[in-house]
Amino acid sequence: MTATETIAIPTPPAKLVTFHRLIPTARLPQRADRSAAGMLPTRAFRYCEPSSSASGFGYYIFPAMDFSLRFDGYDVLWTYPGVGEWFPIPKLGGVQHPGFRDYFASVAPPEFAEYAPPLMAVLQEPGFMQMWSGLMARTAPGWSLLVRSPANFGRPGGYEPFEGVIETDHWFGPLITNIKLIKTDTPIDFRQEHPMLQVQPIPRIAYQEATLNNYELVPDLKQFSPEDWDDFYDTVVRPNAMTERPRGMYAAESRKRRTAGEAVRRKPGEA
């Protein structure tokens, strides 16, 4: 990509993402919270704009039900409230949400009745699993979903989630994630009151090779341009040279820019 070429970012559509709930008792997604659902310290929430922006970017996805897993280093067992026993999950096999197979068959067209998505499945590698949220998602053309652990939450106990990008503008399948179980011989709990994932809509252009290869390296401080030094002064020198420096300057300026941008995108006559 030459220096004169520009990257066209798609305009956000009127409806960016639609979540479809398949399991009736699955918890619906909700907008991610700028305080990370209270996980961020108050000072970080008020003054650390990078942290609060990352926390509020996207939507929380919750487990489809309350359940627990137990991993012995090779086999995985699961249980859920009310059953009082542990059930093995077959190697390279899956298990259904209780009652969902029959519900799906009663609603889906007859030719689809036997294709109810499993709640979870054990993968080939020991401790690796695929988990389903009970949801499907569809994004606007040109937009995908980055699936990741909730931003700025504490690490979940007993497992490590993987991140992935799903091109949900054309792949209309279960909204899933892969995890690695890292704790053995102790229950690993999943609860609907705690987010399991955070999904973030991103334009496909953002992760295409042509976009990611469009970068420049400045390997030495001596190569700073006058404009670089001017920006360094505004960002670092001037605030630190103030006798009384207001708190959260970056946060205040970022919010002003965001508010101004939202005002520009509004249609004439909109409140």
Side-chain angles (χ1 to χ4, degrees):
M1 179 175 290
T2 67
T4 58
E5 290 180 309
T6 59
I7 298 172
I9 302 298
T11 302
K15 184 164 58 178
L16 181 59
V17 57
T18 301
F19 295 102
H20 298 260
R21 179 169 64 178
L22 280 70
I23 296 177
T25 55
R27 182 169 174 177
L28 290 170
Q30 68 182 56
R31 268 297 312 273
D33 180 55
R34 289 176 60 85
S35 72
M39 294 291 184
L40 281 183
T42 301
R43 190 162 63 91
F45 171 61
R46 292 184 62 186
Y47 302 122
C48 187
E49 185 66 17
S51 293
S52 58
S53 291
S55 299
F57 175 28
Y59 309 87
Y60 291 143
I61 304 297
F62 301 87
M65 62 180 293
D66 292 346
F67 65 94
S68 300
L69 300 175
R70 186 187 291 271
F71 177 51
D72 66 3
Y74 185 78
D75 292 318
V76 180
L77 305 175
W78 81 300
T79 189
Y80 54 93
V83 295
E85 58 180 309
W86 291 85
F87 305 99
I89 303 177
K91 197 71 174 177
L92 298 179
V95 295
Q96 289 281 346
H97 183 285
F100 178 66
R101 188 192 302 272
D102 292 339
Y103 172 74
F104 184 86
S106 71
V107 175
E111 62 271 26
F112 302 153
E114 61 180 286
Y115 294 101
L119 176 65
M120 65 186 95
V122 172
L123 304 180
Q124 181 174 357
E125 298 80 5
F128 284 69
M129 298 191 64
Q130 189 171 90
M131 316 285 293
W132 180 38
S133 61
L135 307 170
M136 296 171 67
R138 191 190 300 276
T139 45
W143 290 78
S144 302
L145 287 180
L146 169 61
V147 181
R148 50 159 298 170
S149 59
N152 294 319
F153 276 59
R155 301 298 294 175
Y159 70 96
E160 291 284 349
F162 290 89
E163 298 191 9
V165 176
I166 305 177
E167 296 189 347
T168 41
D169 60 341
H170 66 86
W171 191 84
F172 189 56
L175 184 56
I176 57 175
T177 188
N178 291 337
I179 66 170
K180 180 183 179 181
L181 304 178
I182 57 174
K183 186 182 292 186
T184 58
D185 298 321
T186 186
I188 302 171
D189 298 326
F190 294 79
R191 297 291 179 261
Q192 285 190 306
E193 62 205 51
H194 300 299
M196 179 176 67
L197 302 171
Q198 186 164 339
V199 297
Q200 300 171 325
I202 54 174
R204 188 176 302 121
I205 188 71
Y207 60 90
Q208 288 182 341
E209 285 296 304
T211 305
L212 297 176
N213 287 331
N214 183 29
Y215 69 99
E216 179 183 7
L217 300 175
V218 180
D220 197 290
L221 179 63
K222 296 176 182 179
Q223 296 175 269
F224 265 32
S225 68
E227 292 78 12
D228 293 330
W229 285 116
D230 287 343
D231 290 341
F232 180 84
Y233 173 82
D234 289 338
T235 304
V236 179
V237 178
R238 181 169 59 85
N240 285 281
M242 290 180 175
T243 304
E244 295 184 5
R245 179 181 176 181
R247 289 184 176 181
M249 291 180 61
Y250 173 84
E253 292 173 359
S254 296
R255 290 164 188 161
K256 287 180 182 178
R257 285 194 298 271
R258 187 166 60 246
T259 300
E262 290 173 353
V264 169
R265 287 195 297 272
R266 293 193 188 104
K267 297 178 182 179
E270 288 185 338

